[in-house]
Amino acid sequence: MRKLKISYNAPVVLTFCLICLVSVVLGQMTGGVSTRLFFMTYHSSLLDPLTYPRFFTHVIGHSGWQHFIGNASYLLLLGPMLEEKYGSKTLIEIMVITAFVTGIINYMFFSSVALCGASGIVFAFIVLASFTGFREGEIPLTFLLVAAIYIGQQVYQGITVVDNISNMAHIVGGAVGSVTGYLLNKRS
């Protein structure tokens, strides 16, 4: 009888989720100070040296347990499949691009909004996952449905609902997932 062992099957996704978990714990322990200082992007002075890393690190921070668990659930559901299909290096690139683009857009166009959380990456993963059956010369119906349902919902909520959720990050993440999904699958 073979022994069963636990494998670290999706190192990028698992490590990212663990880093996010640590940042949530730190945020809880510091009353949110560490989150605001290191894991949240907002319109801070360009002379502040932390402004630049926060364009990337805001995806690590979460406003609390519910926010983290919601994002981690999607990341752990979709991430391993995507990491297996596209590879760890490509997945890191997608995550970094999504973080940077959402951070820059938030900084430039939403000066009164602080942004934290991996929701942009989650939406990139959702849309990217819909490209798994892509063939040259075809548009997967799953992509069209995901775009209509998820991105359409974010556009609608962004216009009609006033809440503390960054619909911009979701839309931008979906756009990054669309572009990278198309380009990655067009090559293969």
Side-chain angles (χ1 to χ4, degrees), residues 34-182:
S34 62
T35 303
R36 282 188 298 281
L37 191 59
F38 301 112
F39 306 118
M40 183 181 286
T41 187
Y42 43 86
H43 201 82
S44 55
S45 169
L46 291 174
L47 298 176
D48 178 353
L50 291 176
T51 295
Y52 304 98
R54 285 191 296 245
F55 288 145
F56 299 95
T57 61
H58 68 92
V59 297
I60 295 169
H62 288 81
S63 61
W65 290 110
Q66 187 175 357
H67 188 206
F68 166 71
I69 290 169
N71 283 336
S73 299
Y74 278 106
L75 292 169
L76 293 169
L77 178 68
L78 298 169
M81 170 190 63
L82 296 172
E83 194 166 343
E84 184 177 321
K85 179 174 173 73
Y86 299 111
S88 298
K89 181 179 179 278
T90 299
L91 210 60
I92 290 171
E93 290 169 353
I94 291 167
M95 294 166 76
V96 168
I97 289 167
T98 303
F100 181 68
V101 172
T102 55
I104 289 290
I105 288 174
N106 188 74
Y107 186 88
M108 290 173 38
F109 299 108
F110 301 94
S111 60
S112 64
V113 175
L115 179 66
C116 74
S119 302
I121 293 172
V122 166
F123 270 76
F125 280 15
I126 289 169
V127 174
L128 187 60
S130 71
F131 272 93
T132 54
F134 180 84
R135 286 190 267 298
E136 185 72 40
E138 296 179 1
I139 298 173
L141 180 57
T142 52
F143 165 72
L144 295 174
L145 292 171
V146 164
I149 292 168
Y150 280 95
I151 306 301
Q153 175 192 28
Q154 294 309 305
V155 170
Y156 172 77
Q157 287 181 347
I159 294 168
T160 63
V161 178
V162 177
D163 58 16
N164 207 18
I165 297 172
S166 176
N167 302 94
M168 174 280 299
H170 298 171
I171 293 166
V172 170
V176 170
S178 297
V179 170
T180 55
Y182 177 77

